[in-house]
Structures are given as C-alpha cells and as structure tokens.
Amino acid sequence: IVCAGGLLLVLFKERLSKAFEAGLFWTVIALLLIVAYTYRFELGEVDDRVVAQLMPGHVASHGRNAEVVRGRRGDFAVAAHINGAKVPMVIDTGATSVVLTQEAARAAGLPIEVLDYSVNVDTANGRTRAAPVTLARLAVGNLTEHDVPALVVQRGQLHNNLLGMSFLNRLDIWEVRGD
C-alpha cells in the first residue's frame, strides 16, 4: 500500500501541485472577501473618496461630514440639490449669499416670472441686480439645510451658481486643506 501510494504521488505530482495552487488561490480569495465584508462600511467611505477624486463635483460624505476635492481649474465644484433638483455650484467664500442663475432657479422650481430684482450685488463682472428668495431645501452630500436665503441674478449676469456664506455659515465648521 505504501509503495502504491508513493507511485501515485510520483505519477500525479504535477497535477497535485496544481491542485494545491488552486486551493491556496481560492483560500486567499475567501480570506479577502471576509476582510472586505468585515470592513464594508470603512471601504464604502474609501470608495466615496476615490469617486470624489475622479469626478469633480462629487461630494464624499460620511456622517455629518462632507469632503469636496478641488477641481482642475482650482475651484471647489459641487453637485448640490436645491428643492430636489440637481444644481452644479461652486463654493465661494467671497459670496455673502447662495447665488443662482435663472436656469438653476427655474430647475429648482422657483417662480422666476414674479421675482423682484431689488438687491444690488457686486460680482466679478461688475454691479448687477438680484432677487431675494428662500430655498426650502439645499443639500450638499449628507449636509441638508432648510430655508436658506439666496439670490437669483438676472439672465446672463452669472456663469456659475455660487454656494456662498448663507449656506456655509450654517455648518458647524468648514475648512480648506490642500486640495
């Protein structure tokens, strides 16, 4: 019996090593899956941060924290949701208010036909007039604020919607670190 077993080992040595390699490979895969499942919540945050690096405007959220990556042009672009409508915005700490274009205001369901453009505002393009509004809901990632004061500028006066201080001042803390 010992001789027969030895003979089988010699004859099938190559197949046995391949079977051992396959078994080891699948054992490592199973261990990686167990580790990935164990750290699934932490890996979800990593996934969100990687997507934020690759897709400008994507907000990486974890809990009450949101992280925005600086875009290629040096700005911090975000995809905000105003009254449920997705609106591209640029974080602007120099803007005292959230400022919307007419197109963004229309998408957010604001009644632009009846707005009163009574507020003088200074922009990078010069002085213009804007209409005061209140946004029922403004969300950036997991951060949601209600009844946010904002301005809507006249047509053609602004190229980007601005996420200004009327939103940022409501946050517990915000900071800029690197990119």
Side-chain angles (χ1 to χ4, degrees):
I1 292 182
V2 173
C3 288
L7 181 62
L8 285 175
L9 281 175
V10 169
L11 290 175
F12 296 107
K13 180 175 138 183
E14 188 174 308
R15 287 186 185 159
L16 189 61
S17 69
K18 291 212 184 283
F20 180 74
E21 283 178 23
L24 185 60
F25 172 79
W26 288 110
T27 301
V28 168
I29 294 294
L31 288 173
L32 287 174
L33 289 173
I34 291 168
V35 168
Y37 180 76
T38 303
Y39 291 99
R40 65 190 174 276
F41 300 116
E42 291 84 352
L43 291 173
E45 290 178 11
V46 170
D47 172 51
D48 212 18
R49 290 182 77 180
V50 168
V51 171
Q53 285 288 335
L54 298 175
M55 293 176 50
H58 179 79
V59 179
S61 296
H62 34 94
R64 280 284 299 161
N65 295 318
E67 186 174 318
V68 178
V69 177
R70 186 185 308 264
R72 288 183 278 277
R73 295 181 298 172
D75 58 1
F76 291 93
V78 295
H81 288 84
I82 300 175
N83 300 340
K86 188 174 180 179
V87 175
M89 302 189 86
V90 175
I91 296 175
D92 187 348
T93 59
T96 56
S97 182
V98 170
V99 184
L100 302 175
T101 63
Q102 285 201 350
E103 294 78 18
R106 181 179 290 112
L110 298 175
I112 62 170
E113 299 82 19
V114 297
L115 294 180
D116 179 21
Y117 295 89
S118 59
V119 178
N120 289 321
V121 292
D122 293 314
T123 70
N125 296 331
R127 183 169 224 127
T128 189
R129 297 179 67 78
V133 295
T134 300
L135 306 176
R137 183 174 184 272
L138 173 56
V140 176
N142 286 346
L143 307 175
T144 301
E145 292 294 328
H146 298 276
D147 301 322
V148 178
L151 297 171
V152 177
V153 295
Q154 294 175 326
R155 183 173 304 284
Q157 297 299 308
L158 189 66
H159 298 292
N160 295 312
N161 300 295
L162 306 177
L163 188 65
M165 297 306 292
S166 63
F167 176 81
L168 296 174
N169 280 338
R170 292 172 170 230
L171 304 177
D172 292 336
I173 187 171
W174 61 269
E175 64 181 337
V176 176
R177 283 185 286 152
D179 286 338

